[in-house]
Amino acid sequence: MTASKIQDAQPIDTLIVGAGFAGMYMLHKLRELGIGAQVVEAGSGVGGTWYWNRYPGARVDIQSLEYSFGFDAALEAEWHWSERYAPQPELLRYADHVADRFDLKRDIQFNTRITSAHWDNTEGRWLVGSEADEFWACRYLILATGCLSVPTDVTFPGIETFPRPIYRTSRWPREGVDFSGQRVGIIGTGSSAIQSIPIIAEQAVHLTVFQRTPNYSMPAHNGSIPDEDIHARASDPRGYRAASKDTPGGFQNFGNTALATQTSPDEIRAELERRWAWGGFRILGAFADTAIAPAANRIVHDFIAEKIREQVADPAVAELLTPKDHPFGTKRPCVDTGYYATFNRPNVELIDLKSDPLVAFNAGGITTAKRQHDFDAIVLATGFDAMTGAIDRIDLRGVGGRKIKDHWAEGPRTYLGLMVAGFPNMFTITGPGSPSVLTNMINSIEQHVEWIAECLASLAKRQHASIEASAEAETAWCRHVMEAVTPTMMPQANSWYMGANVPGKPRMFMPYAGGLHTYTEICRQVAAKGYEGFVIRNGDSVLSESHDFTSHPPMPDIPEALMPIIIERLMAAGLMPAA
Ligand code: NA7
């Protein structure tokens, strides 16, 4: 950065990057504390995920009563969701409502993409630059850049020769797309595709779905919100919210403590049917051993495979739609409205890319090994460079000019998913190493924002000291993130949780699998111990210094029957000494 740019930089206490739910609440919270803050946002409006992902059928897959802010009782009471799982336009209206209600937009600069951020150790500040060469000098930098905000760079041979529109689900045109009378191809069968396929199939004259890997999908059973749920929240909003947050996933999923491997077939069937009928993610909590014991996982797999066969008329198509390469829950499961039944329509065709690989795009459409498919439009629902993508794309340099890309060369390293050693005064909201994408994001965002705000308030009391994660605590946290996931089967899947969907990306399980409730308690203890694992300085003087991370959570109540398998996996991963 040149001296003139540094001179022209706009001074601000805190720069927040991103105006999704995380950036908005962070701004609101800092204003309450009297800490100066400015938000910069690449889009032209607030809403983050819900601003960008405007594809047909996009909707939240956690119930809206829980996937909404709980920090303000009046906001909570005045907003009424129209459905159990709100659609994207309604979520965007909600984001706008929050922004207007708290008068946030006056401190949000839209259409501004941050491309660089360099720590200036002499002045103790970040110098942050935009694509348009605008600069800010800030004491604190908060990256509220989202976990699924950068689409993968996936491309296909000959893609430039297809002369008609190619749409990405995550960059959908604002004015929408009318596929009436068109032959449409869609690549991908993740959540975005599974939500959009039923709607596109209703419009298009013909829809071809190119599937590389089938996913597990559960019915949303969307509709109006049951009166008893509305009443439960209205009669005790704080208790309802607390019950949501005091769970592994940040939403009320009524996890069963029974083991599938120790339950009778009739009881298993009853439990699974009850949860399937309720809909959404509830089946994830059916038994305590589903994520750990292969036999238990297989029981749930077989149940879902049977449900797929019930919904899909052609047994060969049902077989192709049934997951085979990963245990249930090891990739993010999907929640759908009519996905499987869509394959019974005469205008919908499934191409299995495993047996009929995609060769190239061309002027007509797409050629696979077996034949040519002609299209008027093609949709790419091919996913995101998850969790690290948005941060990686900033030329981000910490103490001594160390690049975040180098620091994260073997996978993202953080302390608590909140800070990175060697990058002082820089916070990530729902960063890698935090529960984030394994949870209800809004509850995770609230927890992070409140922790960061309390931390900044405590620093302000000490004349704006700087805070930095210690290298030792970061290492200890990375190990704990591994300890939390290793007993489960999650690392077995080629998921975006593992960075496996981006060629060349280091394989590492990125979110913290210990649960939001456990994580919240760890963060509370860390702060209560005077920011354990952090070094707090004022200029050259060290105000407090801790290099340890001892705030380990109590081990959750693990059923005795699962201990041998857990110990075996921890030993195999070198996380427990061999007996
Ligand atoms: P996902 O879940 O990452 O899905 C992407 C899909 O695209 C998935 O089926 C991929 O198959 C497929 N894909 C990716 N690249 C290719 C290529 N080159 N050829 C064929 N198929 C490909 O992204 P979504 O946007 O659907 O969902 C992301 C999250 O948003 C979701 O989990 C929710 O949290 C909300 P693959 O499985 O890699 O074989």
Side-chain angles (χ1 to χ4, degrees):
M1 266 178 213
T2 62
S4 69
K5 284 175 179 169
I6 294 170
Q7 243 170 15
D8 292 346
Q10 302 162 48
I12 180 87
D13 272 352
T14 313
L15 191 75
I16 302 165
V17 186
F21 287 126
M24 286 199 293
Y25 183 35
M26 193 76 246
L27 172 62
H28 173 66
K29 200 75 198 161
L30 292 183
R31 273 192 194 160
E32 274 183 354
L33 295 170
I35 296 175
Q38 156 89 49
V39 179
V40 283
E41 160 61 50
S44 63
V46 296
T49 291
W50 306 109
Y51 171 89
W52 295 102
N53 287 271
R54 297 166 189 252
Y55 60 82
R59 61 176 71 247
V60 64
D61 50 17
I62 304 267
Q63 292 211 96
S64 294
L65 282 183
E66 295 179 85
Y67 187 89
S68 44
F69 280 128
F71 68 83
D72 187 277
L75 167 68
E76 205 169 27
E78 80 201 5
W79 185 267
H80 302 287
W81 295 103
S82 67
E83 298 172 58
R84 281 174 76 186
Y85 302 94
Q88 174 271 335
E90 189 172 347
L91 284 150
L92 198 53
R93 279 201 301 282
Y94 176 71
D96 253 315
H97 172 74
V98 172
D100 293 338
R101 186 184 204 290
F102 296 105
D103 189 21
L104 299 177
K105 287 181 188 163
R106 70 183 152 88
D107 285 324
I108 304 177
Q109 181 172 320
F110 293 105
N111 304 306
T112 304
R113 184 173 291 282
I114 295 305
T115 50
S116 66
H118 296 180
W119 173 250
D120 172 355
N121 214 29
T122 317
E123 299 291 333
R125 63 184 184 177
W126 283 95
L127 290 161
V128 183
S130 77
E131 212 168 34
D133 258 2
E134 198 175 351
F135 288 86
W136 293 264
C138 57
R139 190 179 300 277
Y140 304 110
L141 174 64
I142 301 182
L143 301 175
T145 42
C147 292
L148 295 164
S149 41
V150 176
T152 52
D153 307 327
V154 66
T155 188
F156 299 89
I159 194 164
E160 68 291 345
T161 62
F162 181 70
R164 291 172 289 285
I166 297 178
Y167 304 102
R168 274 186 190 276
T169 45
S170 53
R171 294 291 178 270
W172 206 256
R174 291 185 86 138
E175 63 282 8
V177 180
D178 181 3
F179 290 112
S180 303
Q182 297 194 5
R183 298 157 305 164
V184 182
I186 181 165
I187 300 180
T189 47
S191 197
S192 304
I194 281 176
Q195 289 189 331
S196 55
I197 282 167
I199 315 279
I200 299 175
E202 281 171 12
Q203 288 175 8
V205 69
H206 189 86
L207 176 65
T208 307
V209 177
F210 294 94
Q211 170 185 273
R212 192 164 66 180
T213 313
N215 263 306
Y216 295 90
S217 187
M218 289 86 72
H221 299 312
N222 194 23
S224 51
I225 305 173
D227 286 345
E228 70 254 30
D229 290 356
I230 293 178
H231 178 72
R233 197 181 80 170
S235 61
D236 179 15
R238 303 278 60 80
Y240 189 87
R241 189 61 65 172
S244 255
K245 290 185 172 176
D246 189 22
T247 58
F251 63 103
Q252 300 183 46
N253 209 27
F254 304 96
N256 188 1
T257 52
L259 304 183
T261 41
Q262 294 180 356
T263 305
S264 74
D266 286 352
E267 284 171 289
I268 288 175
R269 160 78 41 186
E271 184 71 20
L272 292 175
E273 289 286 7
R274 204 167 53 77
R275 286 174 183 262
W276 187 265
W278 198 89
F281 289 135
R282 197 154 282 193
I283 203 159
L284 278 168
F287 296 101
D289 49 354
T290 314
I292 295 173
N297 197 284
R298 190 75 207 171
I299 289 169
V300 182
H301 165 94
D302 289 348
F303 176 82
I304 297 178
E306 184 187 316
K307 291 292 179 194
I308 296 172
R309 288 195 295 275
E310 277 172 22
Q311 294 172 83
V312 180
D314 182 337
V317 176
E319 182 62 17
L320 288 178
L321 289 167
T322 303
K324 291 171 193 70
D325 77 333
H326 62 282
F328 171 66
T330 57
K331 277 183 159 187
R332 196 171 186 287
C334 306
V335 176
D336 72 271
T337 298
Y339 174 64
Y340 292 114
T342 297
F343 291 91
N344 298 332
R345 296 177 65 106
N347 68 330
V348 175
E349 180 183 17
L350 179 67
I351 301 296
D352 167 38
L353 294 177
K354 290 255 161 69
S355 60
D356 185 11
L358 193 155
V359 176
F361 280 48
N362 52 42
I366 291 175
T367 310
T368 56
K370 291 184 184 162
R371 66 182 168 94
Q372 168 72 13
H373 308 262
D374 289 332
F375 297 122
D376 301 303
I378 293 174
V379 177
L380 301 182
T382 42
F384 298 89
D385 184 352
M387 307 207 71
T388 54
I391 300 175
D392 264 359
R393 276 162 183 73
I394 299 172
D395 171 19
L396 193 49
R397 301 182 195 192
V399 175
R402 181 161 171 79
K403 294 181 182 170
I404 194 98
K405 275 198 163 197
D406 293 336
H407 193 68
W408 286 1
E410 287 167 23
R413 297 176 55 76
T414 68
Y415 180 39
L416 303 172
L418 277 162
M419 294 200 87
V420 181
F423 293 75
N425 288 3
M426 182 189 89
F427 296 88
T428 50
I429 300 183
T430 64
S434 77
S436 57
V437 291
L438 300 177
T439 68
N440 171 355
M441 287 299 276
I442 295 211
N443 278 342
S444 279
I445 284 168
E446 286 196 348
Q447 185 269 338
H448 263 193
V449 165
E450 285 158 17
W451 192 94
I452 294 168
E454 201 179 297
C455 174
L456 293 190
S458 124
L459 294 175
K461 274 195 211 139
R462 306 185 196 195
Q463 278 78 47
H464 291 301
S466 78
I467 185 163
E468 182 180 348
S470 84
E472 293 85 349
E474 184 183 87
T475 299
W477 180 252
C478 290
R479 185 186 164 91
H480 180 58
V481 170
M482 288 289 293
E483 278 167 356
V485 76
T486 298
T488 76
M489 289 186 283
M490 295 190 94
Q492 293 176 20
N494 286 325
S495 63
W496 55 256
Y497 297 142
M498 292 290 292
N501 65 329
V502 176
K505 190 166 173 169
R507 297 282 174 113
M508 174 175 162
F509 193 84
M510 294 184 282
Y512 173 61
L516 180 62
H517 53 349
T518 314
Y519 174 82
T520 301
E521 176 55 19
I522 295 172
C523 291
R524 195 196 62 73
Q525 286 180 24
V526 162
K529 289 180 190 165
Y531 294 96
E532 177 183 60
F534 290 98
V535 182
I536 298 178
R537 296 191 183 86
N538 203 338
D540 286 337
S541 32
V542 173
L543 302 184
S544 77
E545 184 168 22
S546 155
H547 296 267
D548 301 327
F549 164 63
T550 60
S551 302
H552 274 273
M555 281 299 273
D557 293 332
I558 294 173
E560 197 56 35
L562 296 177
M563 284 318 283
I565 192 165
I566 290 173
I567 289 169
E568 187 192 311
R569 286 194 190 136
L570 287 171
M571 286 197 311
L575 293 164
M576 198 180 222

